[in-house]
Amino acid sequence: MTNTTLVESLCHLHTNLIEDDIVKIEELSRNLPFMADLNQANVFIDCPTIEGKHAIVVAEAAPTTAKSVYKHPVVGKFAYEAFEPAVFYSLRTGKNMFLNRAITQEGKTVEQSVVPIKGASNRIIGTLIMEKDISEKLQHQDKMKALSKTTETLSEILIGMTENRPIISEVIEEALFFIDPKGKLLYYNPAAINLVSEVCSTDCNVGTDLISYFPCLNPILQNSEDLLVTEVEITNRTFQVKKICLGEKTEGTFIIFRDMTELRQKERELIVKSVAIREIHHRVKNNLQTVASLLRLQMRRGVPEESKVHFVESLNRILSIAHVYEIILSNSSEDDVEVYSLIEKIGNMLVEQPQEDSKAISISYAGPRLTIKSNKAVSVSLIINELIQNCVNHAFQNRSSGNIHVTFYANGLEWNVQVEDDGVGYSESSKPSLGLEVVKMMAEHDLSGHFTIRKTQSGTIAAIGFPMESE
């Protein structure tokens, strides 16, 4: 399914737009990639839904010239007024909204501009939205503002402290040193005393050059940056070192050591576990392919004709699961499966198998490049296998050809998979096959979702929906 076809499908399903309006939206959607690259921003088209309370994203484009605001595609998702007030203001009034600050559903602060899209008789049929990520810019501004406000207070606390007035630096776990512009020690907290004792086996003294204790700090102190965070290795231990220069009004620099050794060790252990998990996935895939090879060998050696179909169905189910692990191993993530590739592999495998009656069956796919966790991907692979196999076996009886179309998309907080054919049509009076019973059971119990199948004017549509994983 092309982008314009997806626009048309979403508009027909969720909006009251007439055909001329939909054509205009489709034409505009073709230019979104150019707008996104030119403005280095994400660009969307939102259209009002049938009931008029919400809007739905019917098209989007992420820039190739800048980092995208969103990690996941949002086409097919609903927009709500509480989160998108500028969009609904533009839909109601037909007025532009420029450089409005907004929060995305993924929690990022963006600079948002909204322009209404007008159809016949100047009627508002949608909005064109541009969003630029400014969260990092705001964070940097907040950090600098906070640093400038607290610099003087921190220095006064350190310089004006007395034995009768304990301060925060005395109880924090990080080792804190305060040095003058020449690198001489003016202050250190108890954690700093312990660090010098452990590393250098000596006492910490005011007036001592800090580099004499930690020579590795020399490049850090020579760096012209007022705020610097880095990591250093000292006696087989890893420390995060922060340098905070107080500026001209209160001369001096904070050096803060935080022991990261245990954290880095755990990270290394996770890497080892990740490698082990990938090895397990590899072995599972190989074992499944071995079982499949044994079934093929048995079929070549001969099986009763009435049993052959059951061997083929079992073989296809095994290979469908094997495809899940094959995709996992091809990805950088050890637990995410890209659904489009999974559906494509399974569908091509089933359609390209030799048919006894030599039917010419074609299959097509549509949907964004979305990922799901491997445990759900196994269930989805078996469901897809059964639905497409059901089309191949039953949809095109007494026909020499047929078409199957598989769609995967996000709808709100739900994933949807739809298998459509132009065959003879599903009969509700007929007894459900074992494959459809498997689909219903797995959709409801394994995926906590739902399964529907119905006859249409041109064939049959079978669909499942199941909730997305929480981030």
Side-chain angles (χ1 to χ4, degrees):
M1 184 182 292
T2 63
N3 289 337
T4 54
T5 306
L6 184 57
V7 170
E8 181 181 10
S9 175
L10 290 171
C11 288
H12 281 147
L13 186 62
H14 296 287
T15 76
N16 285 322
L17 298 180
I18 62 177
E19 287 300 325
D20 289 345
D21 295 337
I22 295 175
V23 169
K24 185 166 185 177
I25 296 292
E26 289 175 339
E27 291 175 350
L28 184 58
S29 70
R30 296 188 186 98
N31 295 316
L32 293 191
F34 303 104
M35 298 181 192
D37 287 342
L38 181 62
N39 294 282
Q40 294 186 319
N42 288 68
V43 185
F44 312 90
I45 297 177
D46 285 12
C47 293
T49 55
I50 295 173
E51 71 282 358
K53 295 181 179 179
H54 312 305
I56 185 167
V57 184
V58 299
E60 68 174 333
T64 60
T65 54
K67 185 178 180 181
S68 175
V69 174
Y70 293 85
K71 293 181 180 178
H72 305 291
V74 296
V75 167
K77 290 189 176 182
F78 293 100
Y80 303 96
E81 186 167 5
F83 298 103
E84 303 279 1
V87 173
F88 287 85
Y89 173 82
S90 186
L91 285 172
R92 292 194 182 104
T93 66
K95 296 181 179 180
N96 302 322
M97 287 286 287
F98 292 111
L99 305 181
N100 177 61
R101 187 167 293 181
I103 304 294
T104 71
Q105 293 184 11
E106 295 181 1
K108 290 184 178 180
T109 304
V110 295
E111 195 173 70
Q112 183 187 70
S113 296
V114 184
V115 176
I117 304 170
K118 297 181 180 180
S121 303
N122 223 28
R123 185 167 49 88
I124 306 302
I125 61 174
T127 57
L128 179 64
I129 305 161
M130 183 178 72
E131 293 182 350
K132 287 187 177 182
D133 185 4
I134 59 171
S135 55
E136 292 185 4
K137 178 181 176 181
L138 292 177
Q139 289 174 5
H140 179 72
Q141 291 175 349
D142 291 342
K143 286 180 180 179
M144 296 305 296
K145 185 176 179 180
L147 181 60
S148 63
K149 285 183 177 180
T150 57
T151 293
E152 186 173 350
T153 303
L154 286 171
S155 61
E156 288 176 355
I157 289 175
L158 288 174
I159 296 172
M161 64 186 178
T162 65
E163 293 181 359
N164 296 324
R165 193 173 88 180
I167 60 175
I168 295 175
S169 62
E170 296 292 315
V171 296
I172 62 175
E173 295 181 358
E174 287 83 357
L176 185 148
F177 300 90
F178 185 61
I179 59 177
D180 65 15
K182 295 183 179 181
K184 304 296 183 181
L185 274 174
L186 298 177
Y187 168 79
Y188 42 83
N189 68 349
I193 295 174
N194 294 335
L195 178 61
V196 172
S197 176
E198 293 172 5
V199 173
C200 306
S201 301
T202 186
D203 295 331
C204 202
N205 298 301
V206 171
T208 305
D209 195 331
L210 184 60
I211 294 180
S212 66
Y213 297 135
F214 307 107
C216 61
L217 293 182
N218 188 49
I220 298 173
L221 297 179
Q222 295 295 327
N223 193 295
S224 60
E225 294 288 336
D226 291 335
L227 180 61
L228 183 65
V229 180
T230 187
E231 288 191 3
V232 298
E233 296 287 335
I234 303 176
T235 61
N236 297 322
R237 293 165 64 184
T238 303
F239 291 91
Q240 182 190 72
V241 178
K242 296 180 182 178
K243 183 189 76 168
I244 306 174
C245 297
L246 299 186
E248 296 179 358
K249 186 173 180 180
T250 306
E251 292 186 345
T253 301
F254 285 119
I255 301 294
I256 304 172
F257 283 79
R258 182 182 180 187
D259 194 342
M260 306 288 286
T261 307
E262 184 176 353
L263 177 62
R264 295 294 175 257
Q265 178 62 32
K266 291 185 181 298
E267 289 177 349
R268 286 191 287 270
E269 291 174 358
L270 285 174
I271 292 173
V272 172
K273 289 181 180 179
S274 176
V275 172
I277 290 172
R278 292 189 68 82
E279 177 62 24
I280 291 172
H281 287 328
H282 186 75
R283 293 187 182 185
V284 169
K285 186 201 77 168
N286 287 347
N287 289 340
L288 288 170
Q289 290 179 337
T290 299
V291 174
S293 297
L294 291 173
L295 283 175
R296 290 194 190 97
L297 180 62
Q298 181 64 55
M299 292 171 65
R300 283 197 294 267
R301 292 176 65 89
V303 294
E305 191 62 30
E306 63 272 14
S307 301
K308 185 176 180 180
V309 63
H310 302 299
F311 272 81
V312 172
E313 288 176 353
S314 298
L315 177 63
N316 289 336
R317 287 167 183 150
I318 292 169
L319 291 176
S320 296
I321 300 174
H323 286 321
V324 173
Y325 292 94
E326 182 180 341
I327 294 174
I328 291 175
L329 291 169
S330 67
N331 293 340
S332 58
S333 172
E334 60 273 1
D335 198 38
D336 290 335
V337 178
E338 200 271 292
V339 184
Y340 188 99
S341 298
L342 176 64
I343 293 174
E344 192 175 37
K345 284 179 177 290
I346 295 172
N348 291 346
M349 174 190 71
L350 296 174
V351 170
E352 291 171 4
Q353 282 180 349
Q355 306 294 323
E356 290 185 1
D357 45 8
S358 302
K359 287 186 175 72
I361 300 175
S362 64
I363 187 167
S364 59
Y365 314 92
R369 298 286 178 173
L370 301 172
T371 60
I372 59 176
K373 296 301 179 184
S374 60
N375 59 331
K376 288 193 173 183
V378 170
S379 299
V380 170
S381 70
L382 288 172
I383 289 172
I384 291 297
N385 175 82
E386 298 300 332
L387 293 180
I388 297 177
Q389 187 71 63
N390 191 67
C391 293
V392 172
N393 291 344
H394 306 294
F396 310 112
Q397 293 178 0
N398 302 320
R399 291 178 51 178
S400 60
S401 63
N403 299 288
I404 303 172
H405 183 65
V406 187
T407 309
F408 179 76
Y409 59 95
N411 183 11
L413 297 177
E414 187 176 75
W415 298 132
N416 292 93
V417 183
Q418 181 174 288
V419 179
E420 182 177 1
D421 66 65
D422 60 356
V424 297
Y426 173 72
S427 174
E428 295 183 357
S429 61
S430 61
K431 181 180 178 181
S433 65
L434 173 62
L436 293 183
E437 290 180 353
V438 169
V439 170
K440 187 175 188 299
M441 180 191 68
M442 299 194 77
E444 294 177 352
H445 297 284
D446 293 0
L447 299 177
S448 301
H450 53 85
F451 167 62
T452 59
I453 183 170
R454 59 185 175 86
K455 184 177 181 179
T456 66
Q457 292 182 347
S458 59
T460 303
I461 293 180
I464 64 166
F466 56 95
M468 300 178 182
E469 299 97 345
S470 57
E471 294 291 334

PDB file of all heavy atoms in Angstrom, residues 148 199 262 282 411:
ATOM      1  N   SER A 148      24.113  29.479  36.859  1.00  0.00           N
ATOM      2  CA  SER A 148      24.450  30.868  37.169  1.00  0.00           C
ATOM      3  C   SER A 148      23.811  31.333  38.471  1.00  0.00           C
ATOM      4  O   SER A 148      24.383  32.129  39.212  1.00  0.00           O
ATOM      5  CB  SER A 148      24.007  31.773  36.013  1.00  0.00           C
ATOM      6  OG  SER A 148      22.604  31.723  35.865  1.00  0.00           O
ATOM      7  N   VAL A 199      43.132   5.839  47.134  1.00  0.00           N
ATOM      8  CA  VAL A 199      43.877   5.862  45.875  1.00  0.00           C
ATOM      9  C   VAL A 199      45.351   6.153  46.082  1.00  0.00           C
ATOM     10  O   VAL A 199      46.223   5.537  45.457  1.00  0.00           O
ATOM     11  CB  VAL A 199      43.250   6.886  44.909  1.00  0.00           C
ATOM     12  CG1 VAL A 199      44.105   7.044  43.665  1.00  0.00           C
ATOM     13  CG2 VAL A 199      41.838   6.467  44.532  1.00  0.00           C
ATOM     14  N   GLU A 262      30.822  -0.169  39.802  1.00  0.00           N
ATOM     15  CA  GLU A 262      29.795  -1.209  39.885  1.00  0.00           C
ATOM     16  C   GLU A 262      28.824  -1.114  38.716  1.00  0.00           C
ATOM     17  O   GLU A 262      28.422  -2.129  38.137  1.00  0.00           O
ATOM     18  CB  GLU A 262      29.037  -1.085  41.206  1.00  0.00           C
ATOM     19  CG  GLU A 262      28.010  -2.190  41.423  1.00  0.00           C
ATOM     20  CD  GLU A 262      27.331  -2.096  42.783  1.00  0.00           C
ATOM     21  OE1 GLU A 262      27.761  -1.254  43.606  1.00  0.00           O
ATOM     22  OE2 GLU A 262      26.379  -2.853  43.015  1.00  0.00           O
ATOM     23  N   HIS A 282      19.881 -18.070  18.008  1.00  0.00           N
ATOM     24  CA  HIS A 282      20.495 -18.733  16.864  1.00  0.00           C
ATOM     25  C   HIS A 282      20.269 -20.242  16.933  1.00  0.00           C
ATOM     26  O   HIS A 282      19.931 -20.886  15.921  1.00  0.00           O
ATOM     27  CB  HIS A 282      21.994 -18.419  16.845  1.00  0.00           C
ATOM     28  CG  HIS A 282      22.715 -18.924  15.639  1.00  0.00           C
ATOM     29  ND1 HIS A 282      22.608 -18.331  14.400  1.00  0.00           N
ATOM     30  CD2 HIS A 282      23.538 -19.997  15.474  1.00  0.00           C
ATOM     31  CE1 HIS A 282      23.332 -19.015  13.526  1.00  0.00           C
ATOM     32  NE2 HIS A 282      23.909 -20.019  14.150  1.00  0.00           N
ATOM     33  N   ASN A 411      -3.384   1.584  15.219  1.00  0.00           N
ATOM     34  CA  ASN A 411      -4.654   2.298  15.348  1.00  0.00           C
ATOM     35  C   ASN A 411      -4.834   2.692  16.809  1.00  0.00           C
ATOM     36  O   ASN A 411      -5.217   1.880  17.639  1.00  0.00           O
ATOM     37  CB  ASN A 411      -5.809   1.425  14.873  1.00  0.00           C
ATOM     38  CG  ASN A 411      -7.143   2.151  14.910  1.00  0.00           C
ATOM     39  OD1 ASN A 411      -7.201   3.358  15.098  1.00  0.00           O
ATOM     40  ND2 ASN A 411      -8.216   1.405  14.725  1.00  0.00           N
TER      41      ASN A 411
END
